[in-house]
Amino acid sequence: MKANTWTKLISTAAAVSLIAGCGGGATETPAAEGGSGSGGSAGSPVKIKFHAFGSESQQAWSKVISSFEAKYPNIKVELVNLSEKGDTQEYAKKLDLAAASGEEMDVMMFSEAGMYAQRVALGMVAPIDEFIAKEGFKVGEEYKVDTTLNGKVYALPGKFNPWYVLLNKDHLKEAGLEVPKDWTWDQFMDYAKKLTKGEGASKRYGTYFHGPQGGGWLEFTRLALANQPDNSDYLKADGTTNLDNPLFKKSIEMRYQMEKVDKSSVPYTDMISQKLHYRPQFFNQSASMIVIGSWMNSEIGGTEQFPLNFNVAVAPFPKNSASDQGGYSMVTTDFMAVAAKSKHKQEAYQFIRYFTTDGTIAQGKYVPSWNKVKTEDLNQIIDTIVGGTKSPDKVDKESLKTVLAGSKASKLVPPTSFQADVYKAINEEYEKLILDKQNLDAMLKNAQERTQKLIDSNKK
């Protein structure tokens, strides 16, 4: 797809947006010396625009930008915040419209792989291989997430947010259960049953799943797939479907069993009709466990909106069998990219390189994807993050540190430009199943056929 297809970009903005979900110990960053642009030279400052999302309290933008400008005094960063509340769907729509109208932009961030891939396909993003080559590193070695797409690199990964399980430690104690250090999905299901209590409107569920919904939060339909080092997504690296993988079937069976048979998970109809959200479900103690991404680190001890009135612990993402290698899960990151039409690509690259290394540490909100963060630095980062919550004393920090230290990213399957359509198809077929409009075999067959049609129609 060519860079000037802006009409199609606007028409696909809504579809694309559906797939969005959603310091201390810093060492010297190689990026500080990388490149030969005007970032550190004398003369008038170069001004770059950074299109982003999230409030100051969520993202600490002032810390990132001020620490960068202190290191690069000849580069000034203007934050263009397209969603103060951190709504990535709103951000995606506004970003596409800004690009289509020719608005000046230098740096942009994408909240997940599908959003990143589609904008690359539409020509919004510049490859940065030449800058990386000057520094002499490989993305897959330098970072925990490899952002290579079709043989080129268009972004660097920011925060490293593996998924884990948040646990109400008080509920565990009440049920006579330990905080799991290594467990399987079967054990997770057993915990959910034992933690479920009561009936009717006051019923407390063992767990709550926040998706799929509206073509987003599709992670909740591939839970058993996700704990694999390879082929953990709906499509394989060669572009063929992975929906015939037995672990996809297991993922769907597990969800159905927990809701319909065990009645240990919040019903899908409640989630949709009542517009439920995982934060109040967990912090209001309506559900004892939630599977979620570790972006929750900065909220784990409670916030003004959702105070923590119980003790919380963290368990690793469950495995399929005890013999499986642990640590693998879905991993989310921010894809930090240089705009294709930027007039200051060198300076924009310097900013994203800084942001994805020392900048994330200065931000003090997230664990970086940068592999050069040492264990002692990681512990300090976590202490800083949890210390910024309302009730850090109620958090089992050792369980959190252990889980994060052992987390690994599955091999990234290069997302396709029609990712949103695949998500939509799977979401619709899952919804028919969970609403008892079709059985499991029909759901799997229809999802497979619809995905295959999308693959075939998008072949070049």
Side-chain angles (χ1 to χ4, degrees):
M1 197 175 298
K2 296 182 180 179
N4 60 358
T5 55
W6 298 114
T7 302
K8 186 170 183 179
L9 182 139
I10 294 174
S11 67
T12 60
V16 174
S17 66
L18 290 173
I19 59 182
C22 26
T27 56
E28 182 68 14
T29 311
E33 318 308 337
S36 57
S38 57
S41 62
S44 300
V46 171
K47 295 180 181 179
I48 60 174
K49 289 191 174 184
F50 171 35
H51 286 68
F53 54 84
S55 66
E56 176 65 21
S57 62
Q58 290 172 332
Q59 300 286 1
W61 295 127
S62 60
K63 291 183 180 179
V64 176
I65 293 173
S66 63
S67 62
F68 172 77
E69 291 181 343
K71 196 165 195 174
Y72 295 94
N74 207 46
I75 304 176
K76 299 300 178 185
V77 180
E78 178 187 342
L79 177 66
V80 183
N81 199 329
L82 298 182
S83 178
E84 282 280 350
K85 60 185 177 182
D87 185 332
T88 53
Q89 295 186 24
E90 176 187 33
Y91 167 79
K93 292 176 182 177
K94 289 183 176 179
L95 183 71
D96 290 344
L97 291 173
S101 64
E103 183 177 318
E104 184 180 335
M105 54 179 64
D106 300 290
V107 174
M108 58 186 77
M109 61 188 294
F110 306 117
S111 63
E112 51 81 50
M115 184 190 291
Y116 161 54
Q118 185 116 19
R119 273 63 185 194
V120 169
L122 291 167
M124 287 175 61
V125 187
I128 54 176
D129 302 85
E130 63 175 299
F131 303 115
I132 292 172
K134 287 179 182 178
E135 285 196 60
F137 69 87
K138 294 182 179 179
V139 174
E141 296 175 358
E142 184 79 359
Y143 296 92
K144 290 183 172 67
V145 180
D146 190 342
T147 54
T148 303
L149 190 62
N150 300 322
K152 292 185 178 182
V153 179
Y154 295 87
L156 296 178
K159 54 182 174 275
F160 179 68
N161 282 335
W163 283 47
Y164 52 29
V165 182
L166 287 183
L167 305 156
N168 185 314
K169 206 171 179 180
D170 294 356
H171 290 177
L172 290 184
K173 184 177 181 180
E174 175 189 289
L177 299 170
E178 297 292 327
V179 176
K181 295 181 179 179
D182 183 59
W183 60 339
T184 64
W185 281 115
D186 287 342
Q187 291 171 310
F188 175 89
M189 293 171 71
D190 184 57
Y191 265 55
K193 283 193 290 185
K194 291 176 178 177
L195 290 165
T196 299
K197 184 178 180 180
E199 295 293 338
S202 61
K203 181 176 180 177
R204 186 187 81 198
Y205 287 91
T207 194
Y208 167 78
F209 297 111
H210 194 54
Q213 52 175 302
W217 295 100
L218 265 288
E219 294 91 345
F220 290 100
T221 64
R222 62 179 181 95
L223 295 172
L225 263 178
N227 188 249
Q228 302 296 305
D230 295 291
N231 293 327
S232 62
D233 216 323
Y234 305 106
L235 301 180
K236 298 177 182 177
D238 62 5
T240 59
T241 179
N242 195 32
L243 298 188
D244 55 356
N245 190 316
L247 294 180
F248 175 65
K249 180 179 180 180
K250 178 180 178 178
S251 301
I252 304 301
E253 285 179 322
M254 181 170 66
R255 288 291 309 276
Y256 191 89
Q257 172 79 21
M258 295 183 74
E259 178 174 335
K260 300 292 187 175
V261 181
D262 298 344
K263 300 187 185 303
S264 60
S265 67
V266 177
Y268 184 84
T269 51
D270 288 1
M271 180 191 74
I272 298 300
S273 63
Q274 298 176 34
K275 294 182 167 62
L276 299 180
H277 195 275
Y278 59 86
R279 287 184 177 90
Q281 284 292 298
F282 184 69
F283 287 108
N284 294 343
Q285 305 192 67
S286 298
S288 301
M289 305 187 295
I290 57 169
V291 182
I292 203 67
S294 55
W295 57 79
M296 288 297 292
N297 291 345
S298 61
E299 303 175 47
I300 193 171
T303 61
E304 289 285 353
Q305 185 178 10
F306 298 109
L308 180 64
N309 298 311
F310 54 92
N311 293 294
V312 64
V314 179
F317 197 80
K319 305 185 295 187
N320 293 303
S321 64
S323 60
D324 283 354
Q325 185 178 357
Y328 289 104
S329 73
M330 285 87 66
V331 169
T332 58
T333 187
D334 287 324
F335 294 81
M336 306 302 301
V338 176
K341 293 188 176 181
S342 171
K343 296 177 182 177
H344 308 291
K345 290 185 175 64
Q346 170 68 56
E347 291 80 9
Y349 170 78
Q350 286 178 284
F351 179 67
I352 68 170
R353 179 70 165 128
Y354 176 83
F355 192 159
T356 58
T357 53
D358 285 334
T360 304
I361 296 173
Q363 191 177 22
K365 293 285 186 179
Y366 307 102
V367 174
S369 293
W370 191 30
N371 272 326
K372 293 187 178 179
V373 176
K374 299 176 182 177
T375 301
E376 56 267 30
D377 295 331
L378 175 62
N379 289 339
Q380 180 59 50
I381 291 168
I382 294 171
D383 287 340
T384 300
I385 294 171
V386 176
T389 64
K390 299 295 290 184
S391 304
D393 57 306
K394 294 182 181 297
V395 178
D396 184 342
K397 287 197 295 184
E398 291 309 308
S399 68
L400 174 60
K401 290 176 181 179
T402 299
V403 169
L404 292 179
S407 295
K408 299 182 284 288
S410 301
K411 187 175 181 180
L412 179 67
V413 177
T416 67
S417 59
F418 57 94
Q419 200 96 350
D421 297 322
V422 173
Y423 288 176
K424 182 173 182 288
I426 295 172
N427 194 156
E428 289 175 352
E429 297 305 326
Y430 174 82
E431 192 164 282
K432 291 176 189 175
L433 167 71
I434 211 68
L435 297 180
D436 296 315
K437 294 181 180 179
Q438 66 180 354
N439 62 27
L440 177 64
D441 289 338
M443 182 263 162
L444 295 172
K445 177 176 179 290
N446 292 336
Q448 172 85 348
E449 289 179 350
R450 290 180 65 179
T451 299
Q452 189 60 52
K453 285 181 180 178
L454 289 167
I455 293 170
D456 293 340
S457 63
N458 281 277
K459 284 180 179 177
K460 296 179 180 178

